[in-house]
Amino acid sequence: MMVQILQDYWLLFLVGQYPHGPIGGLAMTLFMAAVGLSLSFPFAVALALARLSPYRWLRLPATAIVHVVRGLPLIMFIFWVYFVVPLVIGRPVGGVETLVITLVVYEASYLSEIIRAGILGLPKGQVEAAKALGLGYFPTTFRVVLPQALHNMLPSMVSQFVSTIKETSLGYVISANELTFAAAQVNNQLMTRPFEVYGLLALTYFALCFALTSAARLLERRIASERGGGLSLAAAPA
């Protein structure tokens, strides 16, 4: 029965009601996850650098933001943004915009910890060598430290993208036209096949997340082999 549902409603699962309505389904899920994670990146870098700052007036507020956001459920932020943002800007905000704004705030805290771990994992000699060459704080950070840290943290960032994809399913509660919402539309039309519809939804999420997780593992192995090659080269006799 799942095969029959997929044959009849694959387009709704894939792009929602497009081109006869707004785009949705899997395409909107990937779009929201990618945009949310991309827009959160500069805020994540700022939070990570603030947490590593020697200045308490930068470190303490950044630490508080990260711990508060990570300690609260995502659904709470979704409702806050959904009801508070329209009051601030004076106009209604759609489900997709609400979820993207929420993901930017929420993912910035998680991504900042990934970036911070990447920076802390670098040898201290990198910073010392940059200072010895006369580089200041910003050139050292953005030309030496961050490129290496981000390269090492690529597998963790892909894993965070997987988590973000799954988190977009909560957009269903505010009618964001994503994959779970598309499945609900299919279920409303069929009425008597909820197990098959939501089973197909689960399989879709599993296939997508499994593929991305496998890609993260491959990246991790490649980066580990690069490190091993570099160490071997450094240890080789002249």
Side-chain angles (χ1 to χ4, degrees):
M1 187 61 187
M2 284 187 183
V3 175
Q4 185 61 47
I5 293 174
L6 188 60
Q7 288 177 346
D8 294 339
Y9 296 97
W10 68 272
L11 193 59
L12 184 58
F13 275 107
L14 186 62
V15 294
Q17 299 175 352
Y18 186 84
H20 305 294
I23 193 169
L26 180 60
M28 181 55 71
T29 289
L30 293 174
F31 172 79
M32 288 192 295
V35 170
L37 202 63
S38 299
L39 293 180
S40 70
F41 181 77
F43 298 105
V45 171
L47 283 173
L49 294 178
R51 290 205 66 193
L52 295 171
S53 172
Y55 302 107
R56 289 170 60 88
W57 61 273
L58 280 176
R59 187 175 68 254
L60 294 181
T63 301
I65 291 172
V66 170
H67 285 301
V68 168
V69 173
R70 286 166 62 92
L72 294 175
L74 177 59
I75 189 70
M76 181 179 295
F77 283 97
I78 291 175
F79 284 135
W80 280 352
V81 173
Y82 188 72
F83 292 112
V84 173
V85 170
L87 295 177
V88 174
I89 65 176
R91 66 175 182 84
V93 178
V96 172
E97 292 87 348
T98 297
L99 192 57
V100 168
I101 294 170
T102 305
L103 289 175
V104 169
V105 175
Y106 202 72
E107 296 304 325
S109 296
Y110 282 87
L111 199 58
S112 69
E113 289 298 275
I114 295 174
I115 296 171
R116 187 171 74 96
I119 294 173
L120 291 175
L122 291 177
K124 292 183 179 179
Q126 299 286 335
V127 176
E128 294 172 356
K131 289 181 178 179
L133 292 173
L135 295 179
Y137 173 78
F138 287 104
T140 299
T141 300
F142 291 98
R143 294 183 183 180
V144 178
V145 175
L146 277 179
Q148 296 181 77
L150 295 178
H151 178 264
N152 292 339
M153 290 295 103
L154 274 176
S156 298
M157 291 183 184
V158 175
S159 297
Q160 191 60 38
F161 182 59
V162 172
S163 297
T164 308
I165 288 173
K166 291 184 285 187
E167 288 163 357
T168 59
S169 62
L170 291 175
Y172 168 74
V173 300
I174 54 172
S175 299
N177 195 13
E178 40 73 57
L179 184 57
T180 304
F181 187 80
Q185 289 180 311
V186 173
N187 185 58
N188 289 338
Q189 294 182 35
L190 295 176
M191 298 298 291
T192 58
R193 301 292 179 181
F195 178 80
E196 290 88 345
V197 171
Y198 289 106
L200 185 59
L201 175 66
L203 288 174
T204 303
Y205 276 117
F206 173 78
L208 179 60
C209 294
F210 180 78
L212 290 171
T213 303
S214 299
R217 291 198 192 99
L218 290 174
L219 276 173
E220 191 170 7
R221 292 195 194 101
R222 180 175 178 181
I223 291 172
S225 66
E226 289 176 357
R227 289 175 179 171
L231 291 174
S232 300
L233 185 61

